Amino acid sequence: MRATPCRPGGHLTVEAEQIELDREYANWNEDIEPGSYVRLSVTDDGEGMPQAVLDRAFEPFFSTRGQGEGSGLGLSMVYGFMKQSGGHAKIYSEPGQGTTVNLYIPCAGLSAPWSEVTSEPSELQGGSESILVVEDDELVRQHVERQLRNFGYDVEVAANGADAMDLLRSREFDLLFTDVVMPGGMNGRQLADAAVALRPELKVLFTSGYTENAIVHQGRLDPGVHLLQKPYRRTELAAAVRKLLGRT
């Protein structure tokens, strides 16, 4: 759906798509089961949330508004409804970068069990190329590094754009895999521009919890870039990396 103005200078982007959540994602999120879901995403380009607020966003009666200006029940009611429906809710937000709320609604009436619908190939195609992973979330960074190493790749990691540029100056990489929204003064797009200026042959794969349409509409990325939206399955990560690096 096209972004529509919601206030002077602001936009909302609303999207819906069917996705599959695998066992690995469920292990990271105890309140969800693997399966087929419709993901409803609502993204704004507002002030965003600091981590302290994000951690309590679904908590009943929690509100950042003044006394008498809000009940603090809106998001908690959404969360409760999703839980009662066997669904899941997830928020991605960064201060100054807006917010995406993802609602995962279970699909009904599948003609085949989830394990048959989403079965992975017995061998995921990997490689031996060098990949630089840039991700400010330590747990996510470690998780992606482990997955890529299991695929056979030579992996280095950085927590921000400045550290990534230091690594890029010291050695060559085949692929830059970077989050779009990062703290520290250099976002993923700025990092990619600087990295490609330094290493013109470098391939770039972006990732984000924000949806592709929202990122493009808000001018953070140009249309047609390679973006892997979080959460992604092992098969999707392996396929996206090999697509950019070329089949072996």
Side-chain angles (χ1 to χ4, degrees), residues 161-175:
D163 290 347
M165 288 304 300
D166 288 341
L167 286 168
L168 285 160
R169 294 186 188 99
S170 66
R171 60 166 294 187
E172 293 186 1
F173 291 92
D174 298 297
L175 175 69

Side-chain angles (χ1 to χ4, degrees), residues 125-188:
Q125 189 175 17
S128 58
E129 293 93 340
S130 57
I131 300 176
L132 174 57
V133 175
V134 189
E135 167 63 59
D136 61 288
D137 187 306
E138 183 177 1
L139 290 178
V140 175
R141 187 169 64 248
Q142 292 175 352
H143 179 64
V144 175
E145 179 185 10
R146 182 169 59 251
Q147 283 190 321
L148 291 173
R149 288 191 184 279
N150 288 339
F151 295 152
Y153 295 109
D154 175 21
V155 183
E156 293 278 1
V157 298
N160 54 60
D163 290 347
M165 288 304 300
D166 288 341
L167 286 168
L168 285 160
R169 294 186 188 99
S170 66
R171 60 166 294 187
E172 293 186 1
F173 291 92
D174 298 297
L175 175 69
L176 171 65
F177 183 39
T178 179
D179 199 358
V180 175
V181 178
M182 295 186 296
M186 178 180 282
N187 61 35

Side-chain angles (χ1 to χ4, degrees), residues 19-39 79 82-90 102-107 114 231:
I19 68 166
E20 310 294 338
L21 297 180
D22 61 8
R23 171 54 60 188
E24 190 167 17
Y25 181 82
N27 289 341
W28 277 61
N29 299 270
E30 297 180 355
D31 62 339
I32 190 68
E33 290 295 324
S36 183
Y37 293 81
V38 172
R39 177 171 59 198
Y79 183 79
M82 296 310 301
K83 290 283 290 180
Q84 293 172 9
S85 304
H88 177 59
K90 191 81 170 181
N102 289 324
L103 304 180
Y104 296 87
I105 305 167
C107 292
W114 179 85

Side-chain angles (χ1 to χ4, degrees), residues 48-59 62-64 75 79 89-95 98-102 136-137 209-210:
M49 305 180 195
Q51 191 61 49
V53 173
L54 187 58
D55 290 341
R56 301 183 64 188
F58 289 127
E59 183 180 311
F62 173 75
S63 176
T64 59
L75 283 176
Y79 183 79
K90 191 81 170 181
I91 301 177
Y92 292 93
S93 188
E94 297 276 356
T99 299
T100 288
V101 178
N102 289 324
D136 61 288
D137 187 306
Y210 298 96

Side-chain angles (χ1 to χ4, degrees), residues 220-234:
R220 296 174 187 162
L221 290 179
D222 295 325
V225 299
H226 299 281
L227 177 70
L228 188 60
Q229 186 179 341
K230 301 175 184 177
Y232 46 80
R233 293 183 289 159
R234 293 175 66 246

